């Protein structure tokens, strides 16, 4: 399992294509066929990971935008990005191994 936490850099995989339908971003890994529909804060996170971005930068951007506790935000973002990584929609750097 992939761990996404402080010090982890995350980026969308090159094999992904995305489109927006209403308020939902649909992301497809064209190599694996894995996809996710992103709603709520998901599209904001997706926009942030179009370039390599550190986990803490993502959390800081969301805390600045939304009325959310930083620890809760970090936990939720970690879980979300781990799901995307498992689906091979994002890649993380080698520093995520424990």
């Amino acid at each position: 399992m992939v761990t996404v936490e402080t010090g982890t850099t995350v980026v969308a995989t090159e094999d992904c294509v995305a489109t927006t339908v209403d308020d939902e971003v649909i992301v497809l890994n064209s190599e694996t066929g894995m996809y996710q529909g992103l709603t709520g804060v998901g599209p904001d996170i997706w926009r942030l990971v179009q370039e390599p971005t550190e986990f803490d930068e993502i959390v800081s951007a969301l805390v600045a935008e939304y009325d959310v506790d930083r620890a809760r935000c970090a936990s939720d973002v970690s879980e979300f990005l781990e799901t995307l990584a498992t689906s091979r929609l994002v890649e993380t750097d080698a520093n995520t191994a424990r």
Side-chain angles (χ1 to χ4, degrees), residues 1-46:
M1 174 155 165
V2 176
T3 301
V4 179
E5 59 190 8
T6 296
T8 303
T9 300
V10 182
V11 64
T13 62
E14 292 181 13
D15 297 324
C16 283
V17 292
T19 190
T20 302
V21 178
D22 295 323
D23 292 333
E24 182 176 22
V25 174
I26 309 297
V27 182
L28 168 71
N29 181 312
S30 58
E31 183 179 302
T32 66
M34 302 286 280
Y35 71 93
Q36 291 281 331
L38 310 179
T39 60
V41 180
D44 294 333
I45 296 171
W46 184 251

Side-chain angles (χ1 to χ4, degrees), residues 5 25 66 87 90:
E5 59 190 8
V25 174
Y66 297 96
S87 298
V90 297

